[in-house]
Every structure is written in C-alpha cells, then in structure tokens.
Amino acid sequence: MKISISQVTLEQALSIVSKGIGSDLSQPILAGIHMRAANGTVELQTSNTTIFIRHALSANVEEEGEIVVSGKLLTNIVRTLSGSVVDIEGDDRNVLVTCDKSTFRLNALDPQDFPSFPEYQLENSIELDTSILSKMVDKVYKVTYKDNSRPILSGILTTVQNNTIRLVATDSYRLAVCDTNVETQNGESFNAILPGAVFHEVLSLSKFSDKILIGITDSQVVFQFANTTFVTRKIEGNFPDYKQLLPKSCKTKVEVDVARLTSALHRVSVVAVNNPSVKFDINVDSATMKLSATSPNQGEATELIPVDIQGSDITIALNYHYVNDCMEAVSDQDKVTFELESGMQPGIFKSYAKVNYLYLLMPLRM
C-alpha cells in the first residue's frame, strides 16, 4: 500500500477511529488501526470487540493494499506532524510514514488477523439532527449506570413517535427524561435501548455532520454520519417503567433561579465532605428556600434563596452531587421548577424550553 493524504484530514479521521482501539493485551491486533486503500479512498477500521468503527476518506492512492499499524502510535505521530501532506507506505511487516523532513519506520501487524467489519441489515432506523440530539444526550448521559453489571441501566431509552423524540436514563437513584419535537419522514417511529457510553461518544464526534442515522438489527445498534459507521451490541431486555416512578400529585411547587441555586449549592456543599446530604427547607411565608449541610468534623453551612412558591412548607434532603448534575443539565435556562409531594417522596426538577427536561431524584434520610 502506498498513499499520500492531508495531515489535517488524517488527524481528524484518526481522532474518530481511535475511539475503537482495543486495550486487551491478549489480542494485540485490536490495538491496531486497519487501513485499506483502493480507488482513491482510504478506509480506516478499529475494533475493541465491543464496538466497530469504520471511516472513509479521500487520498491519493498510488498503490492499493492494506496494513495494520499501532493505532496509538500512528495517532500520536500524525498529531505532531507540521507538514501538509503525509505519505504512508507499507506491507504486512513494516510501515513507513514520512512528512516534510520527518520519517518514521513502524512495525506492522498481519491484516489477515484483523476482525472483519460486521455485516448488518437494518430492521428499523431513524435520521435525526445531530445538534439537538447531542444536547439531549448530554442532559441524560450522567444518569446512566456506569457499571456493566446492570446493562439495561447503562443504556438510554430512545423513542421517536408522533414527531417527538424522547431520551430516558436512570441509575435507580435518579431519573432523567428529555424530549423535543422533530421532523421525521412519514411520521417514522423508533424504540431502542442504546448503549449510553457509545451513544455519548458518537454524538461527541458527529459534529462533522448535520444528520445522524441510528438503526437497529436483532442484535446490533448502528450509527452512521458522514463517512463514519459505528456498530455495537444491542442492549437486550426491558427498560424500567419509568412513568410509574412519577408522583401523581404535587403538594409544593417552587420556581428558582438556576444560577443562584447552583452557586448556593456549591457554597453550602463545601462542608459536606463525608456526607453528600443537603437539606432543602421551603418556607411559604418568607418565600425562601434554605439550603443547609452539616458535617461533624467540619461544621455547618446555610444559605437562603428567594423563590416563588405554590403550596405549603416542606423539607427534603437530597444528594448535592446529583442536584449539581441537574443544574448543569439546565444551565442554559434561567429558571427551573422544583416539585415536591413530601420529604419522603422523590423531588422533581423540570425545565421547559426547546428541549423539555425532567429530573427525578430520590430523597435521603434526614
């Protein structure tokens, strides 16, 4: 194989496929990037057995062929190059990388040992705007369960119905739901549990395209945007019936300034070193919400926030880390609504905008 390619284009392509480089020392081939050149195109592939990534880019192909070279090493090399064109030449034993006055001779791996890219036939798919979808995933991703012992909770329930897209995530301590209106062809519908980590990773890269296609097979999830394809395993099972978690009534409704609550929470939580509990005391007569935290070794802190209240006095204790995650998700809004039924039932934060957001949080014992 012998090719010439723009350094900027190659660096961008490597930043995408490097997300799929494997780290299993027992399978060194997975630490490589597979490169195949033909018909003026270079196709890059990586796989860590969990995800497969393929990306195509234009290049001057002088000699067709394929190579596998260390993905981390090649990425680091290309990132440091200052020339405009990178020349790559190699076989199944050695790879020569040259750019301007820099030359690198790298060991190669046998392309025949690299896993083939999975074939698939989509059963259901939907094409969505990447900009709005990226914002939605950012709002719910932190709520996904980060331990693979509960794969269902590590996923994001994604539904499209009646031109409304909804994303739902939960780690059993909290629940995040966001939805917005979208335009779909012929009122398309879609329903799948998408792996949260991969979904978030894909959306962080899809800035290179205005649209992203998400599809499923009986065992796979496929993401396609521009010249890039991600394939990963589908999460099997039933997502929890999150609607049953939502309280049927609301005793107290509080409207609070997002920036003010965020700042107060940061100050009060300074003393909550070993105990993440922050108490929220809502007082109707004074139209205030008092945040307080206590630590046997550090002391205590309180702060009053003026709020608009409908309902009656109520007190609830919440994990300040989780409340802070919610504030980050609604940081683009001026106000957030805080709904409560009792101090022993979940508290719900709501925000209404182009993307509607609901964040349910289980209370802590006071």
Side-chain angles (χ1 to χ4, degrees), residues 35-162:
M35 305 179 69
R36 177 183 287 111
N39 302 319
T41 300
V42 175
E43 187 178 85
L44 308 182
Q45 290 186 27
T46 55
S47 174
N48 60 12
T49 70
T50 299
I51 60 173
F52 291 80
I53 305 176
R54 180 171 62 196
H55 180 82
L57 60 161
S58 298
N60 178 24
V61 178
E62 296 183 37
E63 183 179 327
E64 297 184 352
E66 57 182 332
I67 61 171
V68 176
V69 65
S70 167
K72 183 177 181 180
L73 184 57
L74 181 61
T75 300
N76 289 339
I77 288 173
V78 172
R79 188 183 295 127
T80 63
L81 297 177
S82 57
S84 58
V85 176
V86 180
D87 297 312
I88 300 177
E89 181 179 0
D91 51 31
D92 60 359
R93 298 184 63 184
N94 296 285
V95 174
L96 186 67
V97 179
T98 58
C99 181
D100 198 12
K101 294 180 174 58
S102 301
T103 301
F104 304 85
R105 187 177 296 277
L106 312 177
N107 294 330
L109 299 170
D110 189 349
Q112 301 303 315
D113 294 334
F114 199 85
S116 58
F117 200 80
E119 297 181 356
Y120 56 86
Q121 187 69 41
L122 297 181
E123 298 175 354
N124 190 13
S125 63
I126 191 81
E127 188 177 56
L128 299 167
D129 180 82
T130 56
S131 176
I132 192 69
L133 189 58
S134 180
K135 292 178 182 178
M136 295 178 71
V137 171
D138 282 343
K139 288 180 181 293
V140 304
Y141 172 64
K142 281 190 176 181
V143 181
T144 57
Y145 198 70
K146 301 305 187 291
D147 191 327
N148 291 331
S149 63
R150 305 179 72 180
I152 286 290
L153 300 188
S154 70
I156 297 174
L157 177 63
T158 304
T159 61
V160 179
Q161 191 170 16
N162 299 325

Side-chain angles (χ1 to χ4, degrees), residues 152-157 168-170 175-176 193 237-242:
I152 286 290
L153 300 188
S154 70
I156 297 174
L157 177 63
V168 185
T170 180
L175 167 77
I193 305 172
N238 297 317
F239 199 82
D241 185 1
Y242 68 93

Side-chain angles (χ1 to χ4, degrees), residues 138-350:
D138 282 343
K139 288 180 181 293
V140 304
Y141 172 64
K142 281 190 176 181
V143 181
T144 57
Y145 198 70
K146 301 305 187 291
D147 191 327
N148 291 331
S149 63
R150 305 179 72 180
I152 286 290
L153 300 188
S154 70
I156 297 174
L157 177 63
T158 304
T159 61
V160 179
Q161 191 170 16
N162 299 325
N163 289 326
T164 298
I165 178 172
R166 175 169 294 161
L167 304 186
V168 185
T170 180
D171 59 5
S172 77
Y173 299 105
R174 50 193 174 152
L175 167 77
V177 182
C178 64
D179 60 50
T180 190
N181 294 326
V182 294
E183 293 184 5
T184 59
Q185 296 180 355
N186 304 317
E188 292 174 302
S189 61
F190 183 85
N191 188 314
I193 305 172
L194 306 179
V198 178
F199 200 6
H200 185 256
E201 195 75 75
V202 169
L203 266 299
S204 70
L205 296 171
S206 59
K207 59 191 176 189
F208 303 117
S209 175
D210 294 333
K211 296 288 184 179
I212 182 170
L213 183 140
I214 305 173
I216 55 174
T217 72
D218 60 343
S219 61
Q220 300 163 315
V221 177
V222 179
F223 301 93
Q224 294 178 345
F225 59 93
N227 298 321
T228 304
T229 302
F230 275 66
V231 178
T232 188
R233 286 193 291 267
K234 183 180 177 182
I235 296 179
E236 301 293 345
N238 297 317
F239 199 82
D241 185 1
Y242 68 93
K243 293 181 180 179
Q244 290 188 346
L245 301 174
L246 304 178
K248 300 296 188 293
S249 58
C250 170
K251 182 179 179 181
T252 301
K253 181 182 291 186
V254 179
E255 185 178 67
V256 59
D257 183 87
V258 172
R260 181 168 284 175
L261 175 56
T262 301
S263 298
L265 187 65
H266 284 169
R267 285 188 286 269
V268 170
S269 63
V270 169
V271 302
V273 179
N274 299 316
N275 181 8
S277 176
V278 169
K279 190 185 296 183
F280 293 72
D281 290 294
I282 297 163
N283 187 280
V284 175
D285 292 337
S286 63
T288 59
M289 181 166 67
K290 183 174 75 172
L291 276 62
S292 60
T294 303
S295 172
N297 299 323
Q298 303 296 329
E300 61 181 32
T302 63
E303 183 162 340
L304 285 174
I305 304 175
V307 292
D308 294 326
I309 306 172
Q310 298 177 26
S312 55
D313 294 354
I314 201 166
T315 299
I316 191 172
L318 300 171
N319 185 314
Y320 79 85
H321 295 293
Y322 294 164
V323 178
N324 186 59
D325 286 345
C326 175
M327 292 303 101
E328 289 183 4
V330 298
S331 60
D332 56 342
Q333 301 300 308
D334 295 329
K335 302 282 186 178
V336 66
T337 301
F338 186 27
E339 297 183 359
L340 295 163
E341 179 61 26
S342 77
M344 299 302 294
Q345 291 180 267
I348 298 181
F349 292 92
K350 291 181 179 179

